[in-house]
Amino acid sequence: MTMHLASESQSEKLARLTLAWREEAHAILQWWIIHMVDAEKGGFYGRRAHTGILEPDANKGVILNTRILWSFALGARFFGDEAYGQMAKRA
């Protein structure tokens, strides 16, 4: 632990972690918007390989789409971002 982190108060640590969480949540949701929206067939693509190659004909499973719906609905409520609400409706 660095001296800076050791001298942080609990409220400063919480504020720093909250900001980091918010930034990460936005980054994850934005990744899904940029890389996984299926503009041709609607909804979201079902798979992108670990190499980054999109598999546009992969199955669009109900569990995946439920998780996408939940994530964007929560993002819309938590951040008050209508774009996330639109993505939830898309799922």
Side-chain angles (χ1 to χ4, degrees):
M1 183 181 289
T2 66
M3 185 58 98
H4 170 72
L5 294 179
S7 66
E8 277 185 320
S9 70
Q10 290 290 39
S11 61
E12 290 170 328
K13 287 178 188 176
L14 182 58
R16 183 176 46 80
L17 291 172
T18 299
L19 178 61
W21 178 87
R22 292 176 70 89
E23 290 172 350
E24 190 67 20
H26 278 298
I28 291 167
L29 294 173
Q30 287 300 312
W31 185 91
W32 278 87
I33 292 170
I34 293 166
H35 298 286
M36 296 302 285
V37 169
D38 185 346
E40 189 176 312
K41 297 177 185 172
F44 293 84
Y45 292 113
R47 180 168 164 73
R48 184 175 286 272
H50 70 281
T51 58
I53 304 294
L54 181 64
E55 297 179 18
D57 295 323
N59 183 28
K60 296 182 178 194
V62 68
I63 293 173
L64 172 64
N65 278 279
T66 300
R67 289 175 177 166
I68 294 169
L69 167 62
W70 181 87
S71 297
F72 277 110
L74 182 63
R77 282 184 39 217
F78 187 82
F79 296 115
D81 190 327
E82 183 53 34
Y84 294 156
Q86 291 301 316
M87 291 295 110
K89 290 176 185 173
R90 178 180 202 89

